[in-house]
Amino acid sequence: MLKRLCPDDGSIVRLLTKEQYSYAICPRSADPNEVDWLNLVESDRDRSAPAPVILAFTPAYDGIVRLGMQPDLSDAVELPAVSGRAEAMNLLLDTTYYWQAVTAHGCTDIGHFRTDSTAPRMLYVDGISNVRDFGGFRTLDGRRVRQGMLYRTSELDRHVAITPKGRETLYALGVRTDLDIRGASEEPHPILDESRVRYVNVPLNSYDTVFIDEQKPRYRKTYDIASDRANYPMFIHCWGGIDRTGCWLFLLGAMLGVPEDSLMLDYEMSSFSIWGARSRKSEYFIKFRTKLAAYGDDVQNAAIAFLHDCGVTDTQMDAIRAILLED
């Protein structure tokens, strides 16, 4: 008779690696002198992927593991199991999953586990780096940003190259819109199948140059996109998915009411990518926060005031809150 080995029934399973989790619960900003966002230094070591969830059973036969969120596994996906072991990637935070191993020699009973709630939700997309879900963070009023709606990534081409497997992962996530904020010199163009994913290019700046007049109508255009539910799920990216993308998400998250410490954590988690360290103590980030602070006493009101200055309406911001915040 086949038996489940792990995870233990009813256990909490962490989705972050040990290194990522340690940073998430106790951020330790990189040395600001190591930050050079103008010259992205590509490392051969990508630490941005999540920890896989290992689903093991005995005897160690080959087969499949059925994994789903319904107790009867009516929504199950099938994962290949080799020698009594399967790996599950990109699971949702704070979610109960049910699983069962099936082989030519029989099957196990159905077990269950719950994923840890610690944000951010890091993702693995083959061929690219710095992929994660903006969902999972709590807001100041106790709500939570919905998972599976808004993702950040690096670029898909040029300095990296998304693989066919990586494309299928994005399609499986259900993405409908690719918001590419790279400039013309970077030759932005659609990479995914345009019959499945809408491609939009709106060149944006980063840090203190976010606030120049030229950028404001462009920010408004991105909010025209973000306030339309039909565009979700969507992902946003620049080159590394760190600086321009990080500033855009910082402002959107602040508008939603995500605490500043969480926004800074999400920004700094890009240090696990191949593109080098980022720090809230860096000259670039401090200039960004100083410019933003001129709009208000706290980060949420400042972000809202800046977005008003860009021409974003309260109706649009309310629409984004309705899309991205859980009830």
Side-chain angles (χ1 to χ4, degrees):
M1 178 179 177
L2 269 67
K3 294 183 179 180
R4 290 176 290 104
L5 292 179
C6 68
D8 292 336
D9 228 25
S11 62
I12 302 296
V13 177
R14 190 177 297 162
L15 301 182
L16 297 175
T17 66
K18 290 182 179 179
E19 188 179 14
Q20 292 165 356
Y21 181 76
S22 176
Y23 194 93
I25 62 173
C26 187
R28 300 170 301 283
S29 297
D31 182 345
N33 295 319
E34 296 179 1
V35 177
D36 184 7
W37 77 273
L38 290 174
N39 298 290
L40 293 182
V41 179
E42 185 173 349
S43 167
D44 60 0
R45 182 170 176 240
D46 186 4
R47 300 172 295 141
S48 66
V53 174
I54 306 301
L55 305 162
F57 57 92
T58 189
Y61 297 127
D62 294 347
I64 61 170
V65 165
R66 302 177 66 225
L67 177 71
M69 290 182 280
Q70 297 297 321
D72 63 357
L73 293 177
S74 57
D75 63 340
V77 297
E78 295 184 352
L79 306 174
V82 178
S83 299
R85 173 187 167 117
E87 293 187 358
M89 297 290 284
N90 299 344
L91 301 186
L92 294 169
L93 303 174
D94 197 23
T95 300
T96 298
Y97 285 90
Y98 299 86
W99 71 283
Q100 179 185 45
V102 180
T103 75
H105 305 276
C107 60
T108 66
D109 60 351
I110 296 175
H112 71 283
F113 62 91
R114 190 166 186 85
T115 54
D116 183 60
S117 62
T118 305
R121 179 190 174 209
M122 312 293 273
L123 299 172
Y124 175 70
V125 177
D126 196 48
I128 62 175
S129 181
N130 201 33
V131 187
R132 56 188 178 275
D133 190 339
F134 195 65
F137 288 107
R138 292 284 179 182
T139 60
L140 292 166
D141 62 1
R143 301 172 75 183
R144 186 166 63 175
V145 182
R146 282 194 176 94
Q147 298 177 74
M149 296 297 284
L150 178 60
Y151 302 100
R152 66 188 297 162
T153 75
S154 69
E155 63 183 4
L156 308 187
D157 63 337
R158 298 188 77 230
H159 302 90
V160 292
I162 191 169
T163 66
K165 179 182 176 182
R167 292 170 191 255
E168 289 305 317
T169 299
L170 290 180
Y171 296 146
L173 291 172
V175 295
R176 295 181 181 175
T177 304
D178 172 357
L179 178 53
D180 184 348
I181 58 175
R182 292 177 295 176
S185 66
E186 296 167 281
E187 302 177 354
H189 61 281
I191 298 298
L192 301 179
D193 182 349
E194 289 189 90
S195 69
R196 303 175 70 168
V197 179
R198 178 191 178 198
Y199 176 80
V200 185
N201 176 233
V202 184
L204 295 182
N205 289 355
S206 59
Y207 300 120
D208 57 325
T209 60
V210 164
F211 303 95
I212 64 176
D213 288 342
E214 172 194 275
Q215 285 289 294
K216 292 174 183 176
R218 297 181 184 181
Y219 254 80
R220 183 181 67 244
K221 183 175 180 180
T222 65
Y223 274 70
D224 291 341
I225 296 163
S227 59
D228 185 347
R229 190 180 293 270
N231 290 324
Y232 289 88
M234 63 184 285
F235 69 101
I236 180 171
H237 66 93
C238 45
W239 172 353
I242 301 175
D243 304 297
R244 288 166 286 183
T245 299
C247 291
W248 191 89
L249 284 168
F250 189 99
L251 290 164
L252 180 130
M255 181 274 291
L256 292 174
V258 177
E260 186 167 7
D261 282 349
S262 295
L263 297 172
M264 289 179 174
L265 169 65
D266 186 54
Y267 167 73
E268 291 180 338
M269 291 296 284
S270 290
S271 297
F272 288 97
S273 74
I274 63 175
W275 307 117
R278 291 299 182 273
S279 170
R280 69 189 75 185
K281 299 177 182 178
S282 69
E283 174 188 357
Y284 310 109
F285 193 83
I286 290 171
K287 285 182 177 179
F288 169 71
R289 280 295 291 114
T290 300
K291 287 281 189 179
L292 179 59
Y295 282 89
D297 294 335
D298 65 76
V299 69
Q300 182 175 25
N301 287 327
I304 291 171
F306 168 69
L307 294 172
H308 280 152
D309 195 27
C310 294
V312 180
T313 67
D314 288 329
T315 299
Q316 287 178 306
M317 286 187 254
D318 285 342
I320 293 170
R321 292 185 188 102
I323 294 167
L324 292 181
L325 295 180
E326 294 178 353
D327 298 329

